């Protein structure tokens, strides 16, 4: 990567500006353990400046009251410009977050570009309505941009989650302030520059890098922020609910992780090889640093041994390596503390009586980075910590069940409810189990989060207040207004 100093400062009111306190923190390459750059640690005064810029732009109407066709054209130019810089953005995410470069180039950044295009195209296809009044009245029901939206991002999918927030928020006409994760801020800052280059008015999209307990908290408590959308841990999500209660009762939208069950029913013996390939992808993609990670496999007892063998046979297809190498499938974990957490869960699994069928070790120590090989546990019982808690690493647990009812009970015995999968050729069983699973997305005969047309959010402690993706995302970034006419 070239000298990254141009993206280490906040981006406010259409330009790079110095952080007011001048404090910084180090951004470290997870694959080498070496410092990449110093990043501005924005404080309350920087947040105040960014929110004031967003509010001023909103009140001027340069974006909020722009013709829908104009907003559409700008966002389409924005998507084209992102496409022109796809290699740069992919490299930023790979180096910053330890992600395999091939995934960044072929999945993450294209997904972000497609999201911006999809919401641009939706601008002139979302309508209000007319209420069924009597002849003496007319009731118009319209949606207006809510105002200033704050987005607080996770570190695992910087470009994708950024697009999920700003795509519908900008399409609806809002101004936005983004706090990228302190562990992966680079692509977000660069994206904001490209948005202005595409024609987005100054002040409509602002980025304030910083630490969560300072910058994120300041956004959560800010009285002039109308909506906060957050993706991250349940613990931090609780904080945002408290910030809202302690300030202006702003709308809060949370996506807070999961422990996704993958149910393999008894009729799948002839498809074990293909299912093992699908489940390895669900568990090991993005190093397992994924809120829908398929880390909890529930398989009929008659198929368990064959499925475990199939999963072990998949491991050569998941080489651990330098994230910059195009053949690497498993890159580095985000930071040393997270490495220790993942290794701690592996140790806990062994001490609680589970068996390591494959993996379980830290690797590539000579690189200075933080790598763990894909790990498969068997002989897992539902009460074990590796079966209940979100590990956020390349670690999967195989749990046997005897009946469909038992599988559903185990799957739902979790505080989370983000995603789940069921594998069966029985159409009735597929419908029956999918309906019974308490999860926001249930995929059948595949691991999937759906696509941009489908809402993404969870049940229970996995979600609150709204959805990413789909037309449903407009609900959290717009306010419903009734205009009532008395005709005469």
């Amino acid at each position: 990567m070239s000298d990254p100093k141009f993206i280490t400062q906040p981006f406010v009111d259409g330009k790079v500006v110095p952080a007011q306190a001048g404090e910084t923190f180090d951004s470290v390459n997870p694959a080498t353990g070496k410092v990449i750059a110093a990043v501005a640690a924005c404080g309350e005064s920087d947040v105040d400046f960014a929110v004031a810029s967003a509010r001023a732009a909103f009140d001027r109407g340069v974006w909020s009251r722009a013709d829908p066709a104009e907003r559409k054209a700008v966002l389409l130019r924005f998507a084209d410009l992102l496409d022109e810089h796809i290699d740069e953005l992919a490299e930023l995410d790979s180096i910053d977050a330890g992600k395999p470069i091939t995934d960044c180039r072929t999945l993450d950044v294209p997904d972000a570009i497609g999201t911006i295009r999809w919401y641009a195209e939706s601008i002139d296809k979302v309508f209000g309505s007319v209420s069924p009044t009597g002849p003496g009245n007319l009731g118009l029901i319209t949606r207006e941009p809510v105002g200033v939206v704050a987005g607080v991002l996770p570190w695992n999918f910087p470009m994708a989650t950024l697009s999920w927030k700003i795509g519908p928020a900008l399409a609806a006409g809002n101004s936005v302030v983004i706090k990228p994760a302190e562990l992966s801020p680079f692509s977000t800052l660069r994206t904001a520059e490209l948005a202005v280059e595409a024609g987005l008015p100054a002040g409509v999209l602002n980025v304030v890098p910083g630490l969560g307990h300072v910058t994120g908290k300041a956004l959560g408590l800010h009285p002039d922020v109308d909506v906060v959308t957050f993706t991250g841990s349940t613990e931090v999500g609780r904080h945002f609910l408290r910030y809202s209660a302690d300030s202006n009762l702003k709308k809060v939208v949370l996506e807070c992780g999961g422990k996704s069950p993958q149910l393999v029913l008894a009729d799948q013996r002839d498809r074990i090889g293909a299912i093992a390939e699908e489940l390895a992808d669900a568990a090991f993609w993005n190093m397992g640093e994924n809120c829908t990670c398929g880390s909890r496999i529930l398989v009929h007892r008659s198929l368990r041994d064959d499925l475990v063998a199939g999963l072990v046979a998949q491991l050569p297809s998941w080489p651990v390596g330098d994230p910059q190498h195009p053949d690497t499938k498993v890159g580095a974990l985000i930071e040393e503390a997270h490495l220790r957490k993942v290794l701690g869960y592996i140790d806990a699994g062994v001490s609680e009586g589970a068996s390591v069928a494959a993996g379980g070790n830290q690797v590539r120590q000579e690189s200075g980075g933080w790598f763990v090989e894909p790990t498969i546990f068997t002989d897992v019982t539902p009460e074990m910590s590796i079966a209940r808690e979100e590990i956020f690493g390349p670690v999967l647990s195989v749990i046997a069940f005897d009946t469909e009812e038992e599988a559903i009970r185990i799957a739902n015995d979790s505080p989370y409810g983000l995603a789940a999968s069921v594998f069966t050729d029985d159409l009735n069983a597929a419908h029956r189990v999918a309906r019974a699973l308490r999860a926001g997305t249930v995929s059948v005969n595949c691991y999937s989060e759906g696509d941009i047309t489908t809402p993404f959010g969870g049940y229970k402690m996995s979600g609150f207040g709204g959805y990413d993706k789909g037309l449903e995302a407009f609900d959290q970034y717009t306010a419903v207004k009734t205009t009532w006419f008395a005709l005469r």
Side-chain angles (χ1 to χ4, degrees):
M1 184 176 70
S2 60
D3 185 354
K5 292 179 182 177
F6 72 103
I7 56 171
T8 57
Q9 295 290 349
F11 187 87
V12 179
D13 202 30
K15 55 186 177 295
V16 177
V17 297
Q20 296 184 27
E23 297 180 358
T24 63
F25 59 91
D26 287 339
S27 179
V28 179
N29 185 336
T32 64
K34 295 180 179 178
V35 175
I36 305 170
V39 179
C42 292
E44 289 186 23
S45 59
D46 299 295
V47 170
D48 287 343
F49 179 41
V51 173
S53 175
R55 178 61 66 186
F58 184 81
D59 289 344
R60 288 196 307 273
V62 291
W63 185 252
S64 60
R65 294 192 295 274
D67 188 286
E70 179 183 344
R71 294 204 307 271
K72 177 178 178 177
V74 170
L75 290 182
L76 288 175
R77 286 197 298 270
F78 179 30
D80 289 343
L81 204 53
L82 292 174
D83 205 7
E84 291 174 17
H85 290 79
I86 190 169
D87 288 338
E88 175 191 0
L89 294 166
E91 187 176 5
L92 288 172
D93 272 3
S94 178
I95 292 175
D96 207 13
K99 298 167 66 70
I101 186 66
T102 299
D103 284 353
C104 294
R105 283 177 176 152
T106 62
L107 297 174
D108 292 26
V109 182
D111 177 75
I113 296 167
T115 296
I116 299 298
R117 285 202 176 107
W118 194 83
Y119 282 109
E121 292 288 356
S122 73
I123 287 173
D124 55 9
K125 300 174 182 67
V126 177
F127 296 85
S129 57
V130 178
S131 67
T133 65
N137 300 103
L138 176 64
L140 300 181
I141 303 168
T142 56
R143 287 189 175 272
E144 298 179 348
V146 73
V148 175
V149 173
V152 181
L153 305 184
W155 43 258
N156 55 337
F157 290 97
M159 281 295 298
T161 52
L162 171 65
S163 69
W164 292 1
K165 310 299 186 187
I166 66 173
L170 292 175
N174 296 286
S175 293
V176 182
V177 180
I178 294 291
K179 191 203 90 65
E182 52 261 42
L183 297 171
S184 56
F186 291 162
S187 63
T188 299
L189 286 155
R190 182 64 177 131
T191 296
E193 292 182 331
L194 294 174
V196 171
E197 186 177 335
L200 196 70
V204 174
L205 177 58
N206 309 274
V207 181
V208 282
L211 304 177
H213 68 281
V214 177
T215 317
K217 180 178 180 180
L219 284 169
L221 287 170
H222 203 288
D224 210 20
V225 169
D226 299 292
V227 175
V228 168
T229 173
F230 167 76
T231 298
S233 71
T234 302
E235 177 187 3
V236 175
R238 293 181 192 273
H239 287 310
F240 278 103
L241 292 175
R242 296 187 185 103
Y243 298 153
S244 174
D246 291 341
S247 56
N248 60 338
L249 292 180
K250 60 177 63 65
K251 186 185 296 185
V252 177
V253 181
L254 305 177
E255 192 268 282
C256 293
K259 188 69 176 177
S260 300
Q262 318 288 301
L263 283 66
V264 182
L265 303 192
D267 65 341
Q268 294 298 284
R269 181 172 299 280
D270 293 341
R271 298 189 63 246
I272 285 295
I275 291 173
E277 182 177 359
E278 190 84 15
L279 294 180
D281 188 58
F284 303 139
W285 174 53
N286 205 57
M287 296 72 70
E289 295 173 332
N290 177 17
C291 52
T292 64
C293 174
S295 61
R296 194 163 52 120
I297 297 175
L298 280 56
V299 58
H300 192 272
R301 195 174 303 277
S302 66
L303 305 181
R304 178 186 58 185
D305 292 346
D306 289 344
L307 181 60
V308 170
L311 289 166
V312 172
Q314 288 295 316
L315 293 187
S317 300
W318 289 89
V320 183
D322 180 356
Q324 290 287 289
H325 194 285
D327 294 334
T328 292
K329 293 285 292 293
V330 181
L333 298 180
I334 189 66
E335 61 176 344
E336 185 175 10
H338 189 57
L339 168 76
R340 299 303 165 200
K341 174 186 172 183
V342 172
L343 292 174
Y345 273 113
I346 293 172
D347 290 342
V350 173
S351 65
E352 291 173 8
S355 302
V356 178
N361 300 303
Q362 180 182 358
V363 294
R364 292 179 54 83
Q365 290 96 322
E366 73 283 356
S367 69
W370 306 303
F371 297 84
V372 172
E373 59 185 346
T375 302
I376 301 169
F377 275 105
T378 189
D379 300 320
V380 178
T381 55
E383 70 276 3
M384 292 180 180
S385 59
I386 57 173
R388 297 194 63 80
E389 299 176 22
E390 187 175 36
I391 298 173
F392 232 58
V395 180
L396 66 82
S397 299
V398 179
I399 303 169
F401 65 83
D402 294 301
T403 67
E404 180 183 304
E405 294 74 18
E406 181 188 12
I408 293 169
R409 178 182 57 77
I410 295 171
N412 286 337
D413 183 20
S414 170
Y416 298 109
L418 187 58
S421 300
V422 55
F423 293 83
T424 180
D425 290 331
D426 184 334
L427 184 62
N428 289 307
H431 279 288
R432 193 166 56 239
V433 174
R435 286 182 177 181
L437 292 173
R438 298 287 294 164
T441 297
V442 179
S443 55
V444 179
N445 291 328
C446 66
Y447 160 74
S448 180
E449 297 176 359
D451 65 13
I452 189 57
T453 68
T454 57
F456 180 74
Y459 290 13
K460 299 185 279 188
M461 287 171 53
S462 288
F464 179 90
Y467 298 89
D468 288 320
K469 305 197 301 181
L471 293 178
E472 288 79 1
F474 280 114
D475 293 345
Q476 61 220 23
Y477 302 125
T478 55
V480 176
K481 174 177 282 186
T482 293
T483 305
W484 186 263
F485 290 88
L487 303 179
R488 61 179 189 269

